[in-house]
Amino acid sequence: MAQTQASAAKRMKLEKKPANPVEEDETPSVFNPKYRVCPYLDTINRNLLDFDFEKLCSISLTRINVYACLVCGKYFQGRGTNTHAYTHSVGEAHHVFLNLHTLRFYCLPDNYEIIDSSLDDIKYVLNPTFTRQEISKLDQLQPKHSRTVDGVLYLPGVVGLNNIKANDYCNVVLHALSHVGPLRDYFLQKQSYAHVMRPPGDSVFTLMWNPRNFKSHVSPHEMLQAVVLWSSKRFQITEQGDPIDFLSWFLNTLHRALKGNKQPNSSILYKIFLGEMKIYTRKIPPVELDDAAKAKLLATEEYKDQVEDKNFIYLTCDLPPPPLFTDEFRENIIPQVNLYQLLSKFNGSAEKEYKTYKANFMKRFEITRLPQFIILYIKRFTKNTFFLEKNPTIVNFPIKHVDFGDILGMRQRDKDVKDTKYNLVANIVHDGDPKKGTYRAHILHKANGQWYEMQDLHVTEILPQMITLTESYIQIYERCPNSS
């Protein structure tokens, strides 16, 4: 009798249809017509949604199975019974949640999926995508201003970056690199690096160029957390750093992450930034020796000229020392120097002395191949035993058609005579004292030909003539498309 009842109960259980197919199937198809129409969509508050921060549960701090509450913008783990998201939905009467990994919407605590086209804008803000056609037109068509949720107009690509505490040295580098056309286009098209394991927060370029942002600025918090982790805390959000150190580390780390090697075309970074030079080195005999002893040393193999082929990502330009005394009116003269004077270091004939503890060397540099984009590092800071000093010398430079042909070797100069003119696309400036100063960036928006000054969240238009009056620290030049 008991056996008969058990088999009947089992048969009834198999014949019973689920009340809601979506609840039984946790991964319903988008094309499944059987889903619930959620009555709580009008409770979504887009003004509070901010997907720039780390995708962590605000309670357990876990990255696994994190959901965003679309009513208050907070992140919680899970959606099952007794999870933080479930408890939040019951306690606060917030019902609409988004899975930050799968980009699916759910209503809690009922736990059914929401499929509604009105939510597509939220998906796009979390994960912006660009087609090849859209990318190709970023620098060609007259740019259109976008409007945020609260009605503020902004220009995609020209958005402020939040300074969390002391990360302006990172912000200016990200601003500058986001306007290096080939690099930006590569990272906007996610198929380019789909084979690479991606750390969290690597999508800052897509956020900066997103035409459908809910706000007119971007917080690089998630990316900077990844920088702190991958640099073993060498670069911090809470401590001021040096943009050239960060730029060098950032480009080399990206190159290795993209499976790059020592070959010039092994990654997008080397394709556009890598140049080649010859370094000629000769050892200097000790000063205390007489002429005969010096001549004897110079005849040895150790003191003969050594030639070395080297690649470079950026060129270090040395400023002349500033004047030590005031002028006749007891005022400090602001020293000035021409950019071409700084570039003469690389013409193959100018020698510079380098001192070490054991010996002194004379070196000269000769550029043998210019890259598509040239990064100039103007060395303003010198560190001695006691303190850090800043050289305030103003560098006079043209904005357009800067001719780098004079620093090429004679053989290469004849070959590349038509491809040696460059235009400035980004300029990073340091203001203030060496340790307590701040950084700002000047970038060129190619589509409208307008220059912008960007300092954290502040974005303003600036005349090209004003850029040349600043204390430039890092500059990025692009080869002219129609050099002649």
Side-chain angles (χ1 to χ4, degrees), residues 370-374 398-404 419-424 477-480 483:
L370 291 170
Q372 182 182 357
F373 285 80
I374 297 177
I399 299 292
K400 292 184 177 180
H401 303 294
V402 182
D403 194 354
F404 285 84
D419 297 322
T420 60
K421 290 186 178 180
Y422 287 72
N423 294 333
L424 184 70
Y477 288 88
E478 180 184 12
R479 181 181 286 132
C480 296
S483 298

Side-chain angles (χ1 to χ4, degrees), residues 59-75:
I59 298 176
S60 64
L61 301 182
T62 182
R63 298 179 183 273
I64 303 171
N65 201 21
V66 178
Y67 290 76
C69 173
L70 301 186
V71 182
C72 65
K74 295 179 181 178
Y75 297 165

Side-chain angles (χ1 to χ4, degrees), residues 431-454:
D431 297 313
D433 297 333
K435 291 185 178 179
K436 298 181 181 179
T438 57
Y439 293 95
R440 53 194 168 101
H442 300 127
I443 58 96
L444 172 66
H445 197 287
K446 288 185 182 178
N448 59 5
Q450 176 64 51
W451 279 92
Y452 294 89
E453 181 176 274
M454 315 184 78

Side-chain angles (χ1 to χ4, degrees), residues 177 180 183 251 269-275 312-313 371 373 375:
L177 293 180
V180 175
L183 187 67
L251 294 180
L269 280 309
Y270 273 20
K271 283 181 182 178
I272 60 180
F273 288 123
L274 192 70
F312 66 87
I313 292 288
F373 285 80
I375 302 176

Side-chain angles (χ1 to χ4, degrees), residues 80-337:
T81 310
N82 296 327
T83 61
H84 298 301
Y86 185 93
T87 305
H88 177 75
S89 70
V90 174
E92 302 294 334
H94 295 175
H95 300 287
V96 188
F97 289 78
L98 167 64
N99 186 307
L100 297 176
H101 179 67
T102 64
L103 303 184
R104 290 182 172 181
F105 298 89
Y106 294 91
C107 182
L108 298 181
D110 296 338
N111 200 13
Y112 60 85
E113 184 175 2
I114 305 167
I115 302 177
D116 195 302
S117 60
S118 66
L119 303 175
D120 290 346
D121 62 329
I122 299 177
K123 282 186 182 180
Y124 191 89
V125 169
L126 178 58
N127 185 31
T129 54
F130 295 81
T131 64
R132 291 187 178 181
Q133 186 177 7
E134 290 172 338
I135 294 173
S136 65
K137 294 179 179 179
L138 287 177
D139 292 335
Q140 298 175 0
L141 296 178
Q142 185 68 20
K144 294 181 180 179
H145 283 76
S146 299
R147 192 179 296 274
T148 63
V149 174
D150 53 0
V152 177
L153 289 175
Y154 74 95
L155 189 62
V158 187
V159 294
L161 287 176
N162 189 22
N163 188 355
I164 300 166
K165 187 172 182 182
N167 57 278
D168 56 336
Y169 73 98
C170 296
N171 290 353
V172 291
V173 171
L174 297 177
H175 276 309
L177 293 180
S178 70
H179 286 266
V180 175
L183 187 67
R184 174 204 61 199
D185 297 349
Y186 180 86
F187 282 102
L188 288 184
Q189 192 169 343
K190 296 185 178 180
Q191 296 87 341
S192 303
Y193 51 98
H195 62 287
V196 180
M197 183 184 72
R198 297 169 57 188
D202 66 338
S203 57
V204 68
F205 284 177
T206 59
L207 296 177
M208 294 173 71
W209 286 88
N210 185 359
R212 305 180 204 169
N213 261 333
F214 287 164
K215 55 190 188 310
S216 59
H217 65 273
V218 172
S219 177
H221 184 273
E222 188 176 14
M223 180 174 186
L224 293 177
Q225 288 288 358
V227 167
V228 172
L229 177 65
W230 284 76
S231 67
S232 301
K233 299 185 178 180
R234 176 184 172 188
F235 301 102
Q236 296 282 350
I237 300 175
T238 56
E239 296 177 9
Q240 184 69 279
D242 194 331
I244 192 62
D245 292 341
F246 175 69
L247 176 64
S248 178
W249 173 86
F250 189 65
L251 294 180
N252 283 295
T253 302
L254 275 180
H255 172 70
R256 291 194 300 270
L258 296 172
K259 313 298 183 185
N261 51 41
K262 294 183 179 181
Q263 298 302 317
N265 293 325
S266 58
S267 77
I268 183 66
L269 280 309
Y270 273 20
K271 283 181 182 178
I272 60 180
F273 288 123
L274 192 70
E276 298 173 2
M277 68 165 65
K278 289 183 181 293
I279 302 178
Y280 301 87
T281 307
R282 64 183 179 86
K283 196 173 180 180
I284 305 174
V287 182
E288 61 271 12
L289 296 180
D290 56 21
D291 293 343
K294 286 182 181 179
K296 187 176 181 181
L297 281 177
L298 290 174
T300 62
E301 191 69 28
E302 183 182 358
Y303 283 83
K304 289 184 178 179
D305 279 8
Q306 307 291 328
V307 183
E308 184 182 12
D309 291 320
K310 278 278 190 180
N311 296 331
F312 66 87
I313 292 288
Y314 62 87
L315 297 174
T316 302
C317 298
D318 302 311
L319 289 173
L324 297 176
F325 306 101
T326 58
D327 62 0
E328 55 185 318
F329 301 105
R330 295 185 180 180
E331 294 180 359
N332 283 321
I333 303 172
I334 299 177
Q336 299 185 38
V337 65

